[in-house]
Amino acid sequence: MQATCDRVLIINEGKIVADGTPEQLQQEFRGAESVTVELRTGAANPVEQVSPKLRSLPSVTGVEMLSRTGPAGRFRLHVEKGADIRETVFHLAVAEKWILLELTTKKTSLEEVFHKLTMS
């Protein structure tokens, strides 16, 4: 839907509850953000050795390990609304001599905006 429209109107129970561009609505109604990080750390136990360092970063509210493949681990970092911690994660990886394999943010989708506005 986002690729085909420049304005979104959301109606709930006969009332307009949102009106704007997809970008405006996603920005206005976004919740907590998450960042996926994949690191090759060489740590024997990434949960014990890497997670606490990621959790200590400013704006990080939680860390969960998604998967582990050999010396690499994938983590989801839950961050405060509006926080962009990608550069901070990069600097931590450099300081720790970790190899950064993935660093992506998850943005609020229009579907999530719709659900927030219409589910009671």
Side-chain angles (χ1 to χ4, degrees):
M1 174 172 27
Q2 289 174 244
T4 61
C5 65
D6 21 324
R7 183 173 174 208
V8 176
L9 190 66
I10 298 176
I11 300 172
N12 185 34
E13 297 181 1
K15 295 182 183 175
I16 297 173
V17 294
D19 179 7
T21 67
E23 294 79 19
Q24 288 170 330
L25 296 179
Q26 289 170 303
Q27 181 72 21
E28 185 177 342
F29 295 100
R30 70 181 180 192
E33 314 266 333
S34 68
V35 176
T36 301
V37 180
E38 185 173 6
L39 301 162
R40 184 174 304 135
T41 65
N45 188 341
V47 172
E48 288 181 8
Q49 297 169 324
V50 178
S51 290
K53 292 178 182 181
L54 294 171
R55 194 173 291 109
S56 71
L57 295 174
S59 302
V60 173
T61 59
V63 175
E64 62 182 294
M65 184 158 195
L66 300 175
S67 64
R68 181 175 176 197
T69 309
R74 278 183 96 227
F75 300 86
R76 178 172 295 127
L77 283 57
H78 300 279
V79 299
E80 296 170 355
K81 181 178 177 177
D84 185 354
I85 62 159
R86 292 175 296 172
E87 188 173 336
T88 306
V89 171
F90 169 78
H91 288 298
L92 175 64
V94 170
E96 295 290 332
K97 296 183 171 69
W98 297 336
I99 298 172
L100 186 59
L101 301 172
E102 176 186 358
L103 183 61
T104 56
T105 58
K106 179 188 173 287
K107 295 185 177 185
T108 302
S109 69
L110 283 177
E111 181 179 356
E112 291 169 316
V113 171
F114 177 81
H115 284 286
K116 285 181 186 179
L117 293 170
T118 60
M119 300 305 211
S120 306

